[in-house]
Amino acid sequence: LGSKTREKRTDRNYFTFTRGGEEQKVKFSNKKRGKMNHLKRILLLFFCFLFTCSFSDNLVPVKIAYVIDGDTYKVWYQGKKQSVRLIGIDTPESKKNNRAELQSRQFGKDVEEITKLGQQAKQYATNFIKAGQTIYLEFDVQKTDKYGRLLAYVWLDREKAKMMNEILIQDGYAVAYTVPPDIKYVERFLQAQKQARENNKGLWKEK
């Protein structure tokens, strides 16, 4: 007790430490080195696993049943068909209703043009999403809405390279429509909308 111990590595075969003013050297046997290398490999694999999970664990793979409209899809989720509403966006209505009237005033277009754009948004979505295809859902704070629909960001790949929500906005088939607390990608969506507007795409196309 009271004596200080200092350690240092001199080379790969010896471990040197100083205790009570005396230097002592311990030689590693091949067996010990082998065990240490094996342990290092296990730890490396473990941390690689954690790193991979940090990117993929929050994605839920589901199968597409069919496209309802541009921002709502029917999928197979936990053994049954479930509607998925894309978070943070709003596509035009494909049928004449009160919301189509509201969108008509919002964008300065007549209702017929709004519903036409809504039908185009649905068709555009089917260019990326087909029945039987696997897509990946990412949930935010709220998992469902008051209608029981899943609320999700829809990724076309596990690597999160293409998000359907963003694609629809940047090509003018949807507008950014963020409702707190689901705001994870709000800045990304607003940037996509700005680009669509500057390029006069879809909803932003001038007459």
Side-chain angles (χ1 to χ4, degrees):
L1 294 177
S3 61
K4 295 183 179 179
T5 299
R6 292 182 301 170
E7 301 177 352
K8 63 179 180 178
R9 289 291 304 274
T10 55
D11 56 40
R12 297 182 61 184
N13 296 319
Y14 290 90
F15 184 78
T16 302
F17 64 95
T18 302
R19 182 166 182 156
E22 295 183 4
E23 185 176 278
Q24 300 184 37
K25 186 182 291 185
V26 177
K27 184 176 181 179
F28 283 103
S29 68
N30 291 332
K31 186 176 181 180
K32 287 183 178 179
R33 287 202 303 272
K35 287 182 177 179
M36 290 184 66
N37 289 335
H38 181 65
L39 179 60
K40 288 179 181 178
R41 285 195 291 269
I42 292 175
L43 289 174
L44 179 61
L45 289 172
F46 175 71
F47 285 116
C48 285
F49 173 76
L50 290 180
F51 181 78
T52 302
C53 288
S54 67
F55 287 94
S56 60
D57 273 0
N58 61 340
L59 297 184
V60 179
V62 296
K63 293 282 187 181
I64 283 286
Y66 55 88
V67 173
I68 297 174
D69 59 29
D71 56 20
T72 310
Y73 312 142
K74 190 72 78 171
V75 303
W76 287 102
Y77 176 74
Q78 295 183 345
K80 62 180 181 180
K81 284 184 181 179
Q82 182 90 18
S83 293
V84 175
R85 175 65 165 81
L86 275 64
I87 300 176
I89 75 168
D90 190 31
T91 59
E93 295 294 306
S94 56
K95 296 179 181 179
K96 188 175 180 180
N97 54 31
N98 290 337
R99 184 151 185 78
E101 295 279 356
L102 179 63
Q103 291 175 335
S104 174
R105 294 192 294 271
Q106 181 182 358
F107 295 103
K109 301 179 184 294
D110 56 41
V111 175
E112 287 72 21
E113 189 172 359
I114 289 294
T115 55
K116 182 180 179 181
L117 283 168
Q119 294 164 5
Q120 290 176 352
K122 177 180 178 179
Q123 183 60 44
Y124 187 70
T126 61
N127 292 334
F128 297 88
I129 295 176
K130 311 289 184 184
Q133 176 182 343
T134 298
I135 59 172
Y136 301 89
L137 306 183
E138 179 183 358
F139 300 116
D140 206 328
V141 177
Q142 296 180 337
K143 189 174 180 180
T144 59
D145 64 9
K146 62 182 180 180
Y147 305 109
R149 299 177 300 183
L150 296 171
L151 298 174
Y153 305 104
V154 173
W155 296 93
L156 300 180
D157 49 27
R158 185 176 288 280
E159 293 73 29
K160 298 175 73 169
K162 295 181 180 180
M163 189 206 304
M164 199 64 211
N165 313 51
E166 184 177 36
I167 290 172
L168 287 164
I169 296 175
Q170 67 188 12
D171 288 337
Y173 291 101
V175 294
Y177 183 70
T178 302
V179 179
D182 301 320
I183 59 173
K184 183 173 183 178
Y185 295 108
V186 59
E187 295 299 328
R188 185 166 171 169
F189 291 165
L190 290 174
Q191 182 61 33
Q193 179 171 285
K194 179 183 177 182
Q195 293 175 356
R197 192 166 192 168
E198 289 174 350
N199 292 304
N200 297 316
K201 290 187 175 182
L203 285 164
W204 310 106
K205 187 175 182 179
E206 298 178 356
K207 291 184 178 181

